[in-house]
């Protein structure tokens, strides 16, 4: 795992332990210092070692170690909660099972989908799923899938948009931008 990813987890862990973090930035404009503050809120529940192992079994150990490490270090829940909605939500075991049963049902109802997905959360701004295409033979198999597209078009759309990334890359960018670049 990249050092940047481990550092990002430390930041999320620190932010999440406080439930609400006020970050201040200052800049000079026309000889005056302007201080802006930003509120970051979280609703995170830790995940036990046993539940992480159950998640590994449920996902058939198909997901990258960085995802399982995130769960063990941070947990599940709502991250970077804004005025109305969280930026994103990472599922616990029960939610994984429920949402992925729905994903599987959509795959079965669609025609000729050869790809398999494990959705680990949702991006709350638009109601998009976040997860892995486990049939993609590349470390960059994580994406946020647009709710406007049928599941059968997820891979083609992500290919066209060149939006595939690793889970580590996504977490690092989410922390660096305080959730502003998570789609």
């Amino acid at each position: 795992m990249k050092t940047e990813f481990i550092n990002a987890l430390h930041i999320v862990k620190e932010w999440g332990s406080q439930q609400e973090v006020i970050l201040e930035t200052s800049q000079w404009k026309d000889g005056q210092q302007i201080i802006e503050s930003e509120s970051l809120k979280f609703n995170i529940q830790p995940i036990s070692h046993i539940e992480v192992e159950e998640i590994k079994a449920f996902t058939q150990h198909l997901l990258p170690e960085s995802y399982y490490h995130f769960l063990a270090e941070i947990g599940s829940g709502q991250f970077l909660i804004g005025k109305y909605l969280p930026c994103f939500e990472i599922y616990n075991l029960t939610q994984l099972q429920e949402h992925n049963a729905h994903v599987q049902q959509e795959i079965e109802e669609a025609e000729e989908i050869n790809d398999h997905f494990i959705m680990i959360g949702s991006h709350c701004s638009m109601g998009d799923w976040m997860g892995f295409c486990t049939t993609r033979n590349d470390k960059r198999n994580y994406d946020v899938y647009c709710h406007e597209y049928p599941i059968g078009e997820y891979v083609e759309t992500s290919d066209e948009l060149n939006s595939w990334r690793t889970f580590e890359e996504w977490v690092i960018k989410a922390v660096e931008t305080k959730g502003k670049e998570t789609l």
Side-chain angles (χ1 to χ4, degrees):
M1 285 178 262
K2 294 181 183 177
T3 302
E4 295 89 349
F5 176 70
I6 299 300
N7 291 340
L9 291 186
H10 288 299
I11 292 168
V12 172
K13 196 171 199 173
E14 181 181 325
W15 288 346
S17 69
Q18 299 176 46
Q19 298 298 309
E20 181 175 10
V21 179
I22 307 296
L23 299 176
E24 292 186 348
T25 57
S26 67
Q27 61 181 349
W28 289 91
K29 185 175 182 181
D30 299 327
Q32 294 184 11
Q33 185 179 21
I34 299 171
I35 298 175
E36 296 177 0
S37 65
E38 181 177 13
S39 173
L40 304 176
K41 298 178 186 175
F42 299 83
N43 183 10
I44 302 171
Q45 297 79 42
I47 292 182
S48 70
H49 175 73
I50 292 169
E51 188 171 352
V52 171
E53 292 303 314
E54 290 172 340
I55 289 171
K56 286 180 180 182
F58 175 75
T59 61
Q60 300 173 357
H61 298 265
L62 293 172
L63 305 184
E65 192 56 40
S66 58
Y67 165 69
Y68 301 122
H69 188 73
F70 181 96
L71 292 176
E73 288 294 313
I74 306 299
S76 65
Q78 299 175 329
F79 294 79
L80 302 160
I81 302 169
K83 188 173 182 178
Y84 301 105
L85 294 169
C87 179
F88 61 89
E89 182 173 5
I90 301 289
Y91 299 149
N92 62 28
L93 177 60
T94 302
Q95 293 167 314
L96 269 173
Q97 292 167 332
E98 290 171 4
H99 289 280
N100 282 284
H102 182 71
V103 170
Q104 189 58 40
Q105 180 182 353
E106 277 196 39
I107 288 173
E108 289 170 4
E109 291 172 359
E111 294 183 26
E112 295 189 37
I113 296 179
N114 297 322
D115 295 299
H116 297 281
F117 300 91
I118 298 177
M119 301 304 177
I120 62 156
S122 58
H123 197 285
C124 302
S125 68
M126 302 293 285
D128 300 329
W129 273 326
M130 307 181 321
F132 299 89
C133 176
T134 58
T135 49
R136 183 172 160 81
N137 293 325
D138 191 330
K139 288 183 180 185
R140 301 180 88 215
N141 66 344
Y142 179 81
D143 206 357
V144 177
Y145 304 97
C146 180
H147 67 282
E148 294 178 0
Y149 299 108
I151 199 164
E153 295 178 15
Y154 282 0
V155 170
E156 180 182 338
T157 302
S158 294
D159 286 343
E160 286 177 18
L161 296 173
N162 195 27
S163 58
W164 294 112
R165 60 209 118 165
T166 67
F167 182 71
E168 285 187 30
E169 291 167 340
W170 182 82
V171 169
I172 292 166
K173 184 61 81 174
V175 172
E176 286 175 351
T177 65
K178 299 175 195 91
K180 291 175 181 67
E181 292 184 31
T182 53
L183 286 175

